[in-house]
């Protein structure tokens, strides 16, 4: 496992020593990439639609994943290929939660607060609670609160004699929390099979990284906990897949890894934020040059995994699915007020 | 029947449950070879090994967060806070997170976890080794809160708490650990959470308490019984859910209610008990509902005179009982 490194220029579509004959990293097929490219397009289309529906008054709140998609889907792909991972995402992880197996209608119902929504039956913010069918828990949006829980979950799995690796996701801002330190320290001491995944977008609402920490890479903190820290270009799905795959293998065999994915936040913090107060418009425009969806589209065509025509079909299919989901969720029932007091406890 | 102390009963309850169910484990500061600072886990690491008796780093938020995560996986963790006074760094995980999990997943994710908290004063602990922390948890839906006073209740309730699929805050009064002795059956038994116990039957007035103060209440009841005041003493045992039925039944019989607790007066358990009586037994009351509680300062001070001045005791309770009986 490589120690913390900070590539000044992101590595592009890196295929290192583990490359197969087709140039793809180990365990990865072109079908996987087509599948995850399609998921990425679906997530982006959903994300954009949700923002629009917010402006129309139909969705109360959303934290956009735009700019984080390659990071989220690349790590999800590695977790799914591994086959024995449990995920503790955070509020910006639409890509993970949706692509983990929810239908667009389920996602849309969640954003509209409709009955039967899979995470909390619309008691919580969108896609927050638990989706146990897809091995996901995110209890709250108190930043960093999931880290110690993820460590406990991984410890619990180990006590049950299981080989599960837990991936827990958080932002650069969340890395400042005391609980982040406590979680990493315990995981280091007890060699808990957990991968700490920091989606570093350089901002915590309006606070830039330079006011958040005095270091360039969150990953460099790993040394202080006695485990490896790795920096990866989070705008590139294949690099993320590879780094996450290695991290999972390491976590299972030797203990925790801190994986920092450098990403960009294209949108304001949430639908309630106005980033013009603290972020120059050109900054975002420049970032859009590195849009992970555009980058991956070019890559898929370049590599011959998809034709231009197929790309357009994928796009059209996403729009169709999201249209249908919007209509279905719009028509879905709201929770019955008589359920207000239900399920405070289990038997 | 064997006579045991509270700490022995607590230890036995955990030991029996750990033998019975591999999923039960303890974690906390010094719970390993030291056996806990109060020796509640004495001998555990030898019997159950390091994987089920986890000496944690000195960091309370992670003790609770990690226990919670293990509970998500279906284990039954018993995290220990060394002293109630040091639980504050973990409140995010207990009140912020654990209490909201079941409701916030619409019942899909159970939290079978028992947080053991040695609490309370009268031991010259000063501001940071005497705290009463029950009011915070008492106010929190989604938690169960248990505060036994006797070895028998401690054992039966702790065993039930460990088998419960919901988060239970288990408050053990430090001063009762070795001071209070009582008979504990050899055979296995469980006591239901949420059911109060009438520790002394009486007809003149109802005295509600829990924890260490329960014992002073019983003594005071004896003192005034010689004067013809026949006090019914209700031991809440569980604070949340609060056993309103037992409280109301007693109040309706006696017509007078007094609550005694060590915790601060304002916003405490006593305020809720008083409100329940006012709401649901108004026509039966023939005297003011009174509270004898710790004053509204941040915990009892260190100096003996100040600690004594803070705490209700047998004499103070007896005096208050006389006043209420005479009303
Ligand atoms: C403990 C806590 N404090 C404050 C907030 C309010 N808040 C929500 S998100 C956020 C910024 C988090 O930034 P970061 O961790 O970098 O994640 P990002 O939103 O950039 O993905 C803040 C301050 C919160 N949710 N939790
Ligand atoms: Mg950020």
């Amino acid at each position: 496992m490589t120690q913390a490194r900070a590539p000044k220029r992101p590595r592009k579509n890196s295929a290192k020593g583990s490359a197969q004959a087709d140039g793809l990293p180990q365990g990865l097929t072109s079908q996987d990439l087509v599948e995850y490219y399609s998921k990425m397009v679906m997530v982006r289309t959903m994300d954009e639609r949700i923002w629009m529906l917010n402006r129309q008054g139909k969705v109360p709140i959303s934290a956009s994943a735009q700019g984080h998609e390659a990071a989220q889907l690349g790590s999800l792909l590695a977790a799914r290929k591994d086959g024995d991972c449990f995920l503790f995402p955070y509020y910006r992880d639409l890509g993970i939660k949706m692509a983990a197996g929810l239908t667009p209608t389920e996602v849309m119902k969640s954003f509209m607060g409709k009955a039967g929504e899979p995470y909390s039956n619309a008691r919580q913010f969108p896609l927050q609670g638990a989706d146990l069918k897809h091995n996901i828990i995110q209890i709250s949006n108190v930043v960093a609160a999931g880290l110690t829980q993820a460590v406990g979950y991984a410890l619990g799995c180990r006590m049950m004699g299981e080989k599960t690796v837990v991936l827990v996701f958080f932002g650069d801002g969340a890395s400042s929390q005391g609980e982040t330190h406590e979680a990493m320290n315990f995981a280091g001491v007890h060699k808990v099979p957990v991968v700490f995944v920091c989606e570093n977008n350089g901002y915590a609402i309006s606070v830039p990284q330079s006011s958040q920490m005095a270091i360039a890479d969150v990953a460099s903190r790993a040394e202080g906990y006695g485990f490896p820290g790795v920096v990866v270009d989070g705008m590139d799905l294949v690099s993320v897949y590879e780094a996450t795959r290695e991290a999972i293998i390491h976590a299972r065999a030797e203990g925790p890894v801190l994986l920092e994915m450098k990403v960009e936040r294209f949108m304001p913090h949430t639908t309630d934020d106005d980033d013009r107060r603290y972020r120059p418009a050109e900054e975002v425009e420049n970032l859009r040059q590195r849009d992970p969806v555009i980058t991956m589209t070019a890559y898929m065509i370049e590599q011959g995994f998809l034709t231009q025509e197929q790309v357009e079909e994928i796009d059209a299919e996403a729009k169709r699915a999201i249209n249908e989901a919007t209509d279905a969720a719009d028509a879905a029932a709201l929770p019955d007020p008589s359920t207000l007091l239900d399920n405070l406890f289990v038997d | 029947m064997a006579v045991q102390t509270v700490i022995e009963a607590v230890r036995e309850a955990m030991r029996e449950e750990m033998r019975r169910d591999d999923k039960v484990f303890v974690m906390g500061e010094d719970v390993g070879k030291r056996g806990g600072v109060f020796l509640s886990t004495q001998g555990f690491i030898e019997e159950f090994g390091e994987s089920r008796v986890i000496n944690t780093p000195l960091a309370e938020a992670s003790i609770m967060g990690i226990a919670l995560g293990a509970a998500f996986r279906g284990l039954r963790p018993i995290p220990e806070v060394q002293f109630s006074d040091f639980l504050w760094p973990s409140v995010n995980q207990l009140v912020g997170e654990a209490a909201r999990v079941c409701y916030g997943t619409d019942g899909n994710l159970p939290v079978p976890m028992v947080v053991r908290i040695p609490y309370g004063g009268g031991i010259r602990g000063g501001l940071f080794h005497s705290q009463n922390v029950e009011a915070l948890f008492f106010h929190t839906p989604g938690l169960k809160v248990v505060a036994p006073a006797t070895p028998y209740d401690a054992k039966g309730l702790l065993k039930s708490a460990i088998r419960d699929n919901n988060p239970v805050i288990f408050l053990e009064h430090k001063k009762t650990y070795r001071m209070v002795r009582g008979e504990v059956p050899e055979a296995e038994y469980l006591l239901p959470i949420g059911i109060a116990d009438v520790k002394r039957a009486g007809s003149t007035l109802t005295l509600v308490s829990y924890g260490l103060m329960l014992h002073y209440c019983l003594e005071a009841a004896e003192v005034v019984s010689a004067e013809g005041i026949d006090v019914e003493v209700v031991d809440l045992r569980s604070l949340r859910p609060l056993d309103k039925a037992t409280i109301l039944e007693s109040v309706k019989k006696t017509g007078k209610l007094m609550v005694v607790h060590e915790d601060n007066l304002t916003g405490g358990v006593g305020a809720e008990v008083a409100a329940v009586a006012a709401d649901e037994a108004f026509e039966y009351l023939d005297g003011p509902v009174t509270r004898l509680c710790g004053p509204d300062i941040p915990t009892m001070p260190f100096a003996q005179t100040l600690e004594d001045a803070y705490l209700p005791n047998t004499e103070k309770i007896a005096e208050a009982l006389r006043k209420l009986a005479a009303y």
Side-chain angles (χ1 to χ4, degrees):
Chain A
M1 178 114 280
T2 32
Q3 290 292 321
R5 59 197 145 83
K8 283 295 153 269
R9 282 283 99 208
R11 292 177 300 138
K12 203 165 179 264
N13 309 332
S14 103
K16 298 195 307 183
S18 56
Q20 305 168 135
D22 57 6
L24 289 174
Q26 206 180 323
L28 207 57
T29 65
S30 57
Q31 288 94 307
D32 294 328
L33 288 176
V34 170
E35 185 191 345
Y36 273 71
Y37 172 75
S38 307
K39 282 175 184 280
M40 191 191 264
V41 172
M42 189 71 85
V43 167
R44 173 63 65 87
T45 310
M46 174 63 85
D47 196 302
E48 289 172 344
R49 180 65 56 86
I50 288 165
W51 202 274
M52 217 171 80
L53 289 168
N54 169 267
R55 296 324 192 219
Q56 293 172 10
K58 290 194 170 168
V59 167
I61 181 82
S62 169
S64 167
Q66 291 181 45
H68 287 234
E69 292 99 335
Q72 295 174 6
L73 291 162
S75 45
L76 179 71
L77 175 55
R80 286 295 182 255
K81 284 253 138 189
D82 175 80
D84 192 4
C85 290
F86 198 98
L87 310 175
F88 279 70
Y90 79 122
Y91 53 79
R92 199 173 296 291
D93 286 324
L94 172 68
I96 291 174
K97 297 179 208 173
M98 182 170 178
L102 295 183
T103 65
T105 302
E106 286 175 311
V107 174
M108 199 56 99
K109 278 167 81 173
S110 192
F111 277 88
M112 292 185 181
K114 296 298 180 83
E117 171 281 328
Y119 269 76
S120 72
N121 207 1
R123 288 171 170 198
Q124 295 226 48
F125 268 14
L127 304 180
Q128 194 171 301
D131 176 10
L132 298 176
K133 206 163 98 188
H134 299 109
N135 291 348
I136 296 181
I137 293 176
Q138 183 206 330
I139 293 308
S140 82
N141 42 9
V142 174
V143 308
L147 275 83
T148 54
Q149 295 163 16
V151 171
Y153 196 95
L155 185 74
C157 290
R158 186 166 75 189
M159 290 172 80
M160 304 278 268
E162 297 160 353
K163 293 275 171 237
T164 308
V165 171
V166 175
L167 278 66
V168 55
F169 299 79
F170 57 101
D172 44 297
S175 79
S176 296
Q177 285 283 342
E179 287 201 15
T180 304
H181 162 73
E182 291 192 24
M184 291 185 185
N185 184 51
F186 186 102
V189 170
H190 290 274
K191 305 217 179 315
V192 180
V194 60
V195 182
F196 296 101
V197 187
C198 182
E199 296 179 37
N200 185 349
N201 59 17
Y203 281 93
I205 308 187
S206 68
V207 179
Q209 179 173 344
S210 58
S211 305
Q212 194 71 243
M213 64 192 82
I215 51 176
D217 300 315
V218 173
S220 64
R221 293 199 179 134
E223 197 187 343
Y225 301 111
F227 53 77
V230 179
V231 178
V232 66
D233 173 14
M235 304 299 268
D236 175 46
L237 183 138
V238 177
S239 301
V240 169
Y241 162 80
E242 237 189 320
T244 313
R245 181 180 167 277
E246 283 178 29
I248 292 168
I249 292 168
H250 180 94
R252 183 169 289 126
E254 294 175 58
V257 178
L258 171 50
L259 177 58
E260 177 179 8
M261 313 197 291
K262 303 281 194 193
V263 295
E264 304 292 353
R265 195 189 86 199
F266 290 166
M267 302 296 281
H269 172 63
T270 65
T271 42
D272 288 340
D273 181 33
D274 178 0
D275 61 352
R276 288 169 302 186
R277 287 163 161 276
Y278 57 85
R279 206 176 183 188
E282 318 84 71
E283 186 182 310
V284 183
E285 271 160 40
N286 289 337
L287 296 177
R288 288 266 185 192
Q289 313 278 313
R290 298 180 53 228
D291 187 324
V293 181
I294 296 172
T295 308
M296 190 161 179
T297 307
Y299 169 77
M300 295 301 282
I301 292 173
E302 223 173 83
Q303 300 290 314
F305 298 148
L306 287 174
T307 62
Q308 181 62 39
E309 215 169 46
Q310 286 169 316
V311 163
E312 280 160 25
E313 273 166 29
I314 289 170
D315 213 37
E317 167 54 21
K319 289 206 172 67
R320 191 202 58 74
I322 303 297
N323 283 341
E324 193 183 286
T326 308
D327 292 343
D330 217 4
L334 290 160
D336 185 332
S338 73
T339 63
L340 178 69
L341 305 182
D342 293 354
N343 291 323
L344 179 61
F345 291 120
V346 292
D347 289 338
Chain B
M1 289 260 211
V3 171
Q4 285 189 340
T5 58
V6 170
I7 193 73
E8 284 165 346
V10 164
R11 192 188 302 135
E12 277 312 300
M14 284 193 286
R15 203 201 308 271
E16 285 177 18
E17 291 306 300
M18 285 178 77
R19 284 178 183 165
R20 177 180 172 270
D21 182 353
D22 283 349
K23 294 198 176 77
V24 180
F25 71 100
V26 297
M27 60 187 292
E29 295 156 14
D30 304 291
V31 300
K33 283 190 185 151
R34 175 72 175 79
V37 295
F38 295 103
L39 303 183
S40 58
T41 55
Q42 193 175 35
F44 280 31
I45 196 152
E46 291 79 4
E47 178 171 355
F48 302 108
E50 282 183 5
S51 67
R52 292 176 69 202
V53 183
I54 303 174
N55 254 346
T56 65
L58 208 172
E60 285 75 11
S62 59
I63 293 173
M64 294 310 154
I66 289 164
L68 182 54
F72 291 165
R73 181 59 200 88
L75 282 103
R76 294 186 175 275
I78 313 177
E80 177 184 277
V81 178
Q82 198 157 65
F83 289 80
S84 57
D85 315 68
F86 313 133
L87 99 93
W88 304 117
S90 70
V91 167
N92 178 44
Q93 289 296 332
L94 297 178
V95 175
E97 304 283 314
R100 273 158 244 268
V101 172
C102 188
Y103 189 82
T105 59
D106 199 25
N108 280 320
L109 189 56
V111 177
M113 139 169 151
V114 184
V115 181
R116 288 187 44 247
I117 309 178
Y119 79 110
I123 48 135
R124 302 294 308 282
L127 265 58
F128 296 97
H129 286 79
S130 306
Q131 291 174 24
N132 288 90
V133 296
E134 55 267 39
L136 170 71
F137 299 118
F138 182 63
H139 182 70
T140 305
L143 297 178
K144 297 185 180 182
V145 185
V146 180
T150 67
Y152 176 80
D153 288 347
K155 185 173 181 190
L157 284 163
L158 182 51
K159 284 170 69 86
S160 293
I162 293 169
R163 296 186 198 185
D164 203 295
N165 289 321
N166 300 285
V168 181
I169 303 292
F170 199 84
L171 297 163
E172 300 163 11
H173 198 290
K174 295 193 290 285
K175 191 166 180 173
T176 66
Y177 270 158
R178 287 178 175 76
M179 183 189 98
V180 179
R181 306 173 71 82
E183 296 208 324
V184 177
E186 240 106 280
E188 163 145 289
Y189 67 99
L190 298 171
L191 293 173
I193 293 172
I195 305 295
D197 183 38
V198 177
K199 285 279 193 302
R200 183 187 195 282
S203 56
T204 314
L205 61 79
T206 298
L207 181 54
V208 171
S209 192
Y210 58 92
L212 174 68
M213 289 299 135
L214 186 268
H215 300 285
Y216 299 158
C217 286
L218 288 169
E219 283 175 13
E222 286 311 310
V223 170
V224 298
S225 79
E227 303 159 28
I229 303 170
D230 186 22
V231 180
E232 178 144 305
V233 181
V234 176
D235 178 4
L236 291 177
R237 301 197 294 192
S238 296
L239 306 181
R240 188 176 190 110
L242 186 65
D243 183 359
K244 290 201 218 175
T246 301
I247 297 168
L248 289 168
E249 194 186 327
S250 179
V251 170
K252 287 177 182 176
K253 183 173 76 175
T254 64
K256 290 199 170 85
L257 171 63
M258 180 167 138
V259 189
V260 175
H261 58 63
E262 179 180 314
D263 196 4
N264 310 114
L265 177 82
T266 302
V269 173
E272 186 62 28
V273 173
V276 166
D279 266 355
E280 297 178 46
F282 180 71
E283 311 93 79
Y284 297 84
L285 290 168
D286 62 0
V289 176
T290 56
R291 290 173 293 162
L292 183 66
C293 304
D296 287 331
I297 55 170
T299 320
M300 63 206 79
F302 178 64
Q304 186 73 68
T305 47
L306 298 176
E307 187 182 70
D308 290 346
Y310 177 99
L311 283 169
N313 60 23
T314 305
E315 293 71 42
K316 291 182 202 175
I317 297 167
E319 195 43 44
L321 287 171
R322 288 183 195 108
K323 240 198 228 161
L324 181 56
Y327 183 86

